[in-house]
């Protein structure tokens, strides 16, 4: 498995990383891997929840309903 070294990590970022690793019961190395995976993975979302949120915002802003023609 490939490995690399990260140099000059600001102390505040290192502190947050160390605290997060401790909170999640992981090593700092594993915490870095999790952070990279979360950042680099394609984010998926629930389409129904997305459209529900759009409808709620439309009602709040008094906008017309979202239709296939508009899309």
């Amino acid at each position: 498995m490939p490995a690399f070294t990260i140099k000059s990590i600001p102390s505040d970022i290192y502190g947050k990383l160390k605290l997060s690793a401790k909170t999640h019961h992981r090593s700092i190395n594993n915490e870095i891997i999790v952070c990279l995976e979360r950042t680099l993975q394609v984010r998926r979302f629930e389409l129904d929840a997305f459209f529900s949120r759009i409808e709620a915002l439309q009602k709040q802003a008094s906008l017309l309903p979202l239709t296939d023609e508009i899309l």
Side-chain angles (χ1 to χ4, degrees):
M1 198 172 264
F4 61 92
T5 302
I6 301 173
K7 297 179 182 181
S8 304
I9 299 173
S11 59
D12 60 323
I13 292 176
Y14 181 76
K16 290 176 186 178
L17 185 61
K18 190 173 179 179
L19 178 61
S20 183
K22 183 177 180 180
T23 301
H24 297 110
H25 306 286
R26 293 191 271 253
S27 67
I28 292 177
N29 186 75
N30 285 343
E31 192 68 23
I32 290 169
I33 291 170
V34 169
C35 290
L36 289 171
E37 286 173 343
R38 286 182 184 157
T39 301
L40 299 174
Q41 286 179 344
V42 175
R43 299 186 191 245
R44 300 191 184 276
F45 59 93
E46 291 294 322
L47 202 52
D48 291 336
F50 177 73
F51 282 118
S52 293
R53 180 69 178 137
I54 288 174
E55 289 172 2
L57 290 171
Q58 286 173 328
K59 287 177 185 175
Q60 191 176 30
S62 301
L63 298 174
L64 296 175
L66 187 60
T67 64
D68 289 337
E69 291 81 25
I70 293 172
L71 291 174

